[in-house]
Amino acid sequence: MSNSNYSQISELLHQETYLGNGELKTWNGKKDEVHSTISSTSEYSKTLLGTVPHMDEATALEVLDHACKAFDKGKGTWPTAKVSFRIKCMEKFVEQMKTKREEVVKLLMWEIGKSLPDSEKEFDRTVEYIYDTIEDYKQLDRNSAKFSKRDNVNAHIRRGPLGVVLCLGPYNYPLNETFALLIPAVIMGNTVIFKPAKHGVLLLSPLLEAFRNSFPPGVVNVIYGRGREVAAPIMKDGRIDVLALIGNSKSAIALQDQHPHKNRLRLVLGLEAKNPAIILPDADLDLAIAECISGTLSFNGQRCTALKIIHVHEDIREEFNKRFAQKVDELKFGNPWEEKVQLTPLPEPDKPQYIQELITDAKEKGAEILNAKGGQVSENYIFPAVLYPVSKDMRVYQEEQFGPVIPIKPFNSIEELLDEIADSNYGQQVSLFGKDIEQIAPLIDTLVNLVCRVNLNSSCQRGPDVFPFTGRKDSAVGTLSVHDALRSFSIRTFVASKDNPYNNDILQKLLASKESNFVNTDYIL
Ligand SMILES: O=C[C@H](O)COP(=O)(O)O
């Protein structure tokens, strides 16, 4: 393991039949991690999808050395590379990635149970994200060199990289959200160590070769293994400049705490949320029900942006609840590759039991299951239960369920409901259903101060990916999206100079080159 790690891993993985019955292999003295399908049928459930190297601490630190060497404290070839070179690398990567669509889509279905259309969408959306990022980066690094001047001092501004980034991605978007961190971090000149989530760990394997072919050694590095054995030692080492994570705050805090210089560690975090839907008395119920179905149950509710509680006004709750519960029972459960499937097996083996615990707790405290199929359990699935009336003392009210269970809570007073939303530890998004402009306009004014995105008569979502994606309180640190992520992974730096012939000559030369890293920004001193 003396050279670029991903290249060696890549070779290993490409020897494997990861959709076949690969055997356990030894790698670096350790047994590989086995990953089996989460398919709902017993015929498939014992199939071994593939294996990845299970690294130890020494190997993880070796990977860190590669990333640090490539960055070389800002003096390395990647952080000082010309704009056009970074673009060329990224374009090469995305072109090669596109040839792997079928393999990656298959792995998304098999590894995390995402339906075929959603898996295809995740792949295509990611490709689009990379192209949009390249375009935005070109804009960011345009060489028109607008001058900022005050008190006879000129400022020539550029965006510089932050350093070595440790990225950890989630299991629910193992491709898209991995790349939502990795792509902007890399294009801005940082070097990256990426650790995929346990579920979805295999789907990067078809892309490792593309990383190797497209970027100089040490720029993109992939590590596998348990967090405490690979990510924690890397943090403890102290050379990581940015922790970028999409997942839960517990992991983020635990990793942050390992860093010996916590105060200088930058964070880019996409964390938990408990996005509420508010159904006002005059809401279009057909629309509200359809949006709440997709909002609560797309990918079985395993989305940070999922609607995780519905607040329905007392005046309409009877009709809403009845029709909503019926619609939930009409949803089709099946394997990800089956046609028109809407609910699929859960990748986390202990999830059905956890959801069952939430249901039991809610029932003990006075809620009922409104739908006939609610709570039916199979080996790796639990049919979504619609729970009503939910109260604050219930676990399903307090916890981010991240799975198929839907709490509904009645309300009478919008002021009290706003207090409740303001008291939440989370502040990502809200969905507001209603028509009365006189009531809705002031409500929006308040809600935008409690969360970061108000979805008017529609469910919550992250996309389109050019929109800012962030949250208040425990929901996020920093902002992602095509445009904002480039800024989250960089710092504004500039050259300040007073007018004199030498300075002006030097600066003219800097700016004249199409390859200059000096950029025009919207920042005026
Ligand atoms: O899990 C959190 C994701 O950011 C959700 O993304 P999405 O709204 O596009 O499904």
Side-chain angles (χ1 to χ4, degrees), residues 8-18 22 25:
Q8 295 197 6
I9 294 162
S10 171
E11 277 163 28
L12 190 82
L13 283 165
H14 283 275
Q15 289 164 13
E16 303 250 325
T17 323
Y18 46 79
K25 292 187 176 198

Side-chain angles (χ1 to χ4, degrees), residues 125 172-173 177 302-305 402 460-463 469:
R125 174 183 182 177
N172 62 338
Y173 277 96
E177 290 202 317
Q302 302 167 118
R303 298 160 58 232
C304 64
T305 50
F402 215 80
C460 298
Q461 60 170 0
R462 176 166 42 117
F469 178 56

Side-chain angles (χ1 to χ4, degrees), residues 24 28-29 50 60 169 190 235 259 281 297 300 308 314 337 370 440 469 495 511:
L24 287 178
N28 207 29
N190 304 282
M235 289 301 284
H259 201 289
L297 291 173
N300 310 301
K308 301 210 175 84
E314 282 281 11
W337 47 87
L370 296 185
I440 284 190
F469 178 56
V495 176
L511 295 168

Side-chain angles (χ1 to χ4, degrees), residues 200-267:
V201 73
L202 287 174
L203 66 84
L204 275 186
S205 59
L207 303 176
L208 294 176
E209 211 173 340
F211 281 135
R212 180 185 57 183
N213 294 342
S214 312
F215 298 101
V219 173
V220 178
N221 306 273
V222 181
I223 53 169
Y224 297 107
R226 292 197 187 89
R228 65 175 180 278
E229 285 166 20
V230 291
I234 285 178
M235 289 301 284
K236 219 178 262 177
D237 174 276
R239 283 180 287 167
I240 289 294
D241 300 292
V242 185
L243 173 64
L245 176 147
I246 296 183
N248 63 65
S249 39
K250 218 170 120 196
S251 312
I253 292 166
L255 283 171
Q256 193 188 355
D257 281 346
Q258 299 287 333
H259 201 289
H261 313 291
K262 236 178 9 179
N263 53 331
R264 70 177 190 220
L265 179 71
R266 298 220 174 203
L267 300 173

Side-chain angles (χ1 to χ4, degrees), residues 53-68:
H54 188 155
M55 290 181 175
D56 57 12
E57 183 174 330
T59 314
L61 291 174
E62 208 175 313
V63 175
L64 176 63
D65 285 343
H66 293 307
C68 291

